[in-house]
């Protein structure tokens, strides 16, 4: 039920919100539940926001993407580093793991 992929590019689309684009060198796609694990140079882009990380677990049923290991989030005004963030792929809300150190720099 697991498909191993390389040089991956995917889009999570919505009728009411902007698309979320995901790129990585590798991924595992689970046929049975449609969840994916992206790894190696993961880049997520939407609404002029760029998230980079080593790992991304995408849970389609819960509309949640968990980014972890060397996470950065950049937009026009700021640059943030964190160990782990959770992205709601429908609302685009980001939750930051509050137990870890967060570095934010204003542009």
């Amino acid at each position: 039920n697991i498909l191993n992929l390389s040089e991956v590019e995917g889009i999570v689309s919505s009728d009411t919100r902007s698309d979320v684009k995901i790129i990585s060198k590798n991924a595992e796609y689970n046929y049975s539940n449609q969840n994916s694990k992206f790894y190696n140079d993961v880049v997520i882009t939407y609404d002029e926001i760029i998230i980079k990380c080593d790992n991304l677990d995408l849970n389609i049923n819960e509309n949640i993407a968990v980014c972890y290991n060397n996470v950065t989030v950049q937009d026009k005004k700021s640059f943030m580093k964190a160990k782990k963030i959770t992205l709601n792929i429908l609302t685009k809300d980001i939750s930051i793991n509050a137990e870890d150190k967060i570095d934010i720099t204003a542009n």
Side-chain angles (χ1 to χ4, degrees):
N1 288 337
I2 303 293
L3 178 62
N4 291 307
L5 306 167
S6 59
E7 302 303 324
V8 181
E9 184 172 322
I11 295 177
V12 179
S13 59
S14 166
D15 292 337
T16 58
R17 304 265 184 179
S18 61
D19 292 346
V20 176
K21 183 176 180 181
I22 304 169
I23 298 172
S24 69
K25 287 188 178 176
N26 304 97
E28 295 177 357
Y29 174 73
N30 186 322
Y31 280 113
S32 61
N33 60 19
Q34 297 183 338
N35 292 338
S36 300
K37 293 182 180 278
F38 298 84
Y39 55 98
N40 293 331
D41 297 328
V42 181
V43 179
I44 304 104
T45 56
Y46 67 93
D47 297 338
E48 298 184 21
I49 295 173
I50 301 169
I51 301 171
K52 295 181 181 180
C53 59
D54 292 341
N55 302 88
L56 167 69
D57 295 347
L58 180 61
N59 185 321
I60 292 296
N61 293 331
E62 295 180 16
N63 296 311
I64 296 294
V66 179
C67 307
Y68 54 100
N69 295 331
N70 299 313
V71 180
T72 63
V73 181
Q74 184 174 2
D75 64 14
K76 290 182 179 182
K77 297 180 182 179
S78 63
F79 179 82
M80 177 187 69
K81 291 182 183 179
K83 289 189 180 181
K84 179 180 174 183
I85 65 169
T86 302
L87 169 68
N88 182 312
I89 58 176
L90 292 181
T91 65
K92 311 298 189 309
D93 292 334
I94 295 176
S95 299
I96 302 167
N97 184 348
E99 295 176 9
D100 297 327
K101 182 180 178 183
I102 302 165
D103 294 325
I104 301 174
T105 306
N107 290 339

